[in-house]
Amino acid sequence: MSQGFGPLHPGAQEPAGERLARTELGAEEQKRLYHFMKLTRRVEARLSNLYRQGKVVGGLYSGHGQEATSVGSAFALGPQDFMGPIIRNLGSMLVRGVQPREVMTQYMARGTSPTGGKDGNTHFGDLERGLVAPISMLGALIPVMAGVALAGRMQGKDLVALTYIGDGGTSTGDFHEGLNFAAVQDLPLVVIAEHNGYAYSTPTSKQMKVDNIAAKAVGYGIAGEIIDGNDVLAVYEATRRAVERARGGGGPTLIEAKTFRMKGHAEHDDAGYVPPELFEEWAEKDPIERFERHLLGQELATEEELAAITAEIETGLDAEVDFALESPFPPPERALEGVYE
Amino acid sequence: MSETTYLEAIRRGMWDAMEQDERVFMIGEDIGIYGGAFRVTQGFLERFGEERVIDTPISESAIVGAAIGAAMMGMRPVVEMQFIDFIACAFNQIVNFAAPNHYRWGPAVPMVVRGPCGGNVHGSAFHSQNPEGFFHRAPGLKILAPATVEDAYGLIQAAIQDPNPVLFFEHKFLYRRIKAELPENPAPVEIGKARLAREGRDLSIITYGAMLHVALEAAEILSGDGIELEVLDLRTLKPLDDEAILATVRKTSRVLVLSEEPRTGSLAGEVAARISESAFDWLDAPVQRMTCLDTPVPYSPPMEAFYLPNVEKLVAQVRQLSSY
């Protein structure tokens, strides 16, 4: 592994490079994974265009290059499970049933958005779909998702709570407090730490002294695992194992997915602080292209099938963008509504 | 019927809530076997079990965060802050997660964060604070501060039943010092309603918490001088009962807002501003505040007494204000 994250801790699996992880998933399910990764990237590409047209209100945050971590992990959840995504997990939300128009109307602050214009970007959720909205204070979701898991246990529901954190977010007190509390309570919580090299402009070397986030699991007495975050099958399989462990009473798991943020922190950030060779290196490991080669090489899909999936996504997105653009802004007085339940 | 302490009233209010609604659970530090640092949850573990009386690590942010998650899932968590001063460690979860959650994307957060506040017990800077001012501006929170045994029971019940995040500031000076008879089946007290604790014609004291008792004592003394104080107990600090505040101002035309907080940024300042904006025409004198000093809470008894409002100081300030 040469991406500058330092050595893996003993016993960890080297990321497999070109060959993807073994999986029980069949061709149809793997094509679903492909669909969601491609959909994620295309929604973000459309949003990027809309941003340049001045249609996006506020910042635009991309998960470009990290589609495998979002999609693979969310795909391992059951319908009764809950998920708390953070800003680069659009892919997870799409797997969970979020429609592109919901994201677009949010980013464009329209009255038809899931929050009615009260909040922006991917800051929305829907408990019916097992989706808890994030807040911008990183780490805060970890105790909250531990609480979701706690409630599930009290209510006799067989639910697992999954949430995400970046390498930067692991420096917060809430990351520690939440994992520690979940650990002592043996709560069914899975935390995916997306180690993408940078927290805004700060490289991981200035964030933590250890090379591997998963090493922190030892301090909480929980399971930890390092995976190749650009291999959607590895992400899926590791999450599936963690979910099974959680469901079986085995407590929380911290999964570290090694990946890379292929854009700046947000659309306005040109990421000039990232050495260009890192982008080049990681472009070769692009999770979607790697998965395409896998699907074709293993004869799980044909080029025509993959092209058809992409074409269908594009057509669908035309309608979603039109819907968002035609949606009105909310009436200003609606700002007064809903402070209290 | 035997007399109930303020502490016992809170305990009974929570106990009844646990009996009545299986969604209610307690979470906090040392609340189980030990029964809480002040023994408010004594006996809860034995009765309700460790699934509903959860002893936690020293992790205020995790405790409140977990309560938020559970509340969103339909549970009714009651968080104990061992001392309310420690609520600062959970500020982010309360102010940024719980408070705007319903407004932002829908789900209610029916959570109560309660704990002992207040001074006059020589607890110094980290065991004596009244932090309501830090939270008062946060839209989406409700803040309660009972001053009587009846309200201690009625408001904790109302807090647990309320679908919003509620901060419940119980005053540790009152825990075992005030007693009253509670009826067999006491009723919840409506959130958002102040209570006229004493009727008077000459000057209004608007207050809450332990300071209510300071105000009532002062009223007795001043009554001997022919000054009849009206005392309004706010009970709910957020949202404020503007109607009751304005009603007493219009009646007496002189107001002193009394609160046990450092002066700057205090809730007392907010009440005074509202009166000045909405009832200026009724005033015969400037709205005054009596608060603590703008210092951390000092430890040594004479210094703490100097820091806190008390009956003597209040009587003196009321006399001045009466003759304005």
Side-chain angles (χ1 to χ4, degrees), chain A residues 115 118-119 125-127 131 133-135 137 140 143-144 147 151 153-155 159 174 177 185 335 337-341, chain B residues 25 51 54 57 59-62 65-66 69-70 72-73 75 92-93 96-97 102-105 107 140-142 163-164:
Chain A
T115 64
K118 285 176 176 168
D119 207 341
D126 177 4
L127 296 182
L131 207 53
I135 70 171
M137 292 70 193
V144 171
R153 183 169 72 190
M154 291 168 132
Q155 294 163 346
L159 73 81
D174 270 8
E177 292 196 21
Q185 286 285 331
E337 295 169 9
V339 173
Y340 289 116
E341 162 75 16
Chain B
F25 72 95
E51 275 283 293
I54 301 173
S59 291
E60 282 79 9
S61 192
M72 276 195 279
M73 295 292 286
M75 301 302 287
N92 180 51
Q93 289 286 358
N96 287 324
F97 218 126
H102 172 62
Y103 184 81
R104 288 175 57 236
W105 65 285
L141 294 181
K142 292 188 178 180
N164 298 286

Side-chain angles (χ1 to χ4, degrees), chain A residues 37-270:
Chain A
M37 286 206 287
K38 198 76 188 233
L39 178 62
T40 306
R41 186 162 296 180
R42 293 312 303 160
V43 168
E44 290 186 347
R46 294 288 182 115
L47 283 166
S48 184
N49 283 336
L50 290 161
Y51 182 88
R52 283 194 284 277
Q53 293 165 30
K55 301 290 186 191
V56 167
V57 177
L60 172 63
Y61 305 86
S62 164
H64 190 118
Q66 300 180 207
E67 292 88 349
T69 55
S70 285
V71 170
S73 54
F75 207 74
L77 293 179
Q80 77 275 33
D81 296 330
F82 275 72
M83 185 176 75
I86 52 176
I87 199 67
R88 290 187 214 292
N89 298 123
L90 173 62
S92 310
M93 298 174 78
L94 296 172
V95 171
R96 215 62 207 163
V98 164
Q99 298 302 303
R101 71 173 55 187
E102 296 181 82
V103 185
M104 288 171 178
T105 50
Q106 275 281 114
Y107 268 112
M108 291 193 251
R110 304 302 165 122
T112 49
S113 82
T115 64
K118 285 176 176 168
D119 207 341
N121 52 63
T122 61
H123 281 195
F124 66 100
D126 177 4
L127 296 182
E128 295 288 311
R129 289 180 282 189
L131 207 53
V132 173
I135 70 171
S136 294
M137 292 70 193
L138 297 172
L141 259 173
I142 295 176
V144 171
M145 296 309 290
V148 167
L150 179 70
R153 183 169 72 190
M154 291 168 132
Q155 294 163 346
K157 293 175 184 162
D158 188 26
L159 73 81
V160 172
L162 178 140
T163 189
Y164 300 86
I165 194 73
D167 39 277
T170 65
S171 301
T172 65
D174 270 8
F175 171 79
H176 170 76
E177 292 196 21
L179 269 183
N180 185 55
F181 175 68
V184 297
Q185 286 285 331
D186 289 318
L187 293 174
L189 178 73
V190 179
V191 176
I192 313 280
E194 293 174 282
H195 190 158
N196 68 6
Y198 286 86
Y200 209 139
S201 71
T202 305
T204 312
S205 60
K206 291 195 175 169
Q207 202 71 240
M208 61 188 77
K209 193 69 179 168
V210 294
D211 293 317
N212 300 307
I213 294 167
K216 299 185 184 192
V218 176
Y220 310 113
I222 62 172
E225 186 170 357
I226 299 176
I227 54 167
D228 177 353
N230 282 26
D231 173 355
V232 68
L233 297 179
V235 177
Y236 168 79
E237 288 297 331
T239 312
R240 186 186 56 74
R241 284 192 295 274
V243 166
E244 275 174 20
R245 178 183 298 121
R247 241 189 262 294
T253 301
L254 175 62
I255 296 171
E256 174 181 10
K258 305 273 194 191
T259 183
F260 200 71
R261 195 188 73 199
M262 292 299 283
K263 287 190 160 193
H265 169 63
E267 201 70 6
H268 66 265
D269 170 16
D270 67 1

Side-chain angles (χ1 to χ4, degrees), chain B residues 33-109:
Chain B
I33 295 169
Y34 194 64
F38 288 87
R39 311 292 171 143
V40 181
T41 55
Q42 195 156 42
F44 278 56
L45 180 66
E46 291 81 348
R47 171 67 186 86
F48 300 107
E50 61 181 9
E51 275 283 293
R52 293 181 71 194
V53 184
I54 301 173
D55 265 331
T56 68
I58 302 174
S59 291
E60 282 79 9
S61 192
I63 299 165
V64 173
I68 292 168
M72 276 195 279
M73 295 292 286
M75 301 302 287
R76 293 287 183 273
V78 180
V79 172
E80 176 170 302
M81 288 289 154
Q82 197 155 73
F83 284 84
I84 206 68
D85 310 63
F86 306 156
I87 200 171
C89 304
F91 189 79
N92 180 51
Q93 289 286 358
I94 293 169
V95 166
N96 287 324
F97 218 126
N101 200 71
H102 172 62
Y103 184 81
R104 288 175 57 236
W105 65 285
V109 183

Side-chain angles (χ1 to χ4, degrees), chain B residues 243-260:
Chain B
E243 212 175 299
I245 292 169
L246 294 181
T248 189
V249 174
R250 287 169 183 159
K251 184 172 169 189
T252 66
S253 301
R254 288 172 202 269
V255 192
L256 186 147
V257 190
L258 170 65
S259 93
E260 190 184 330

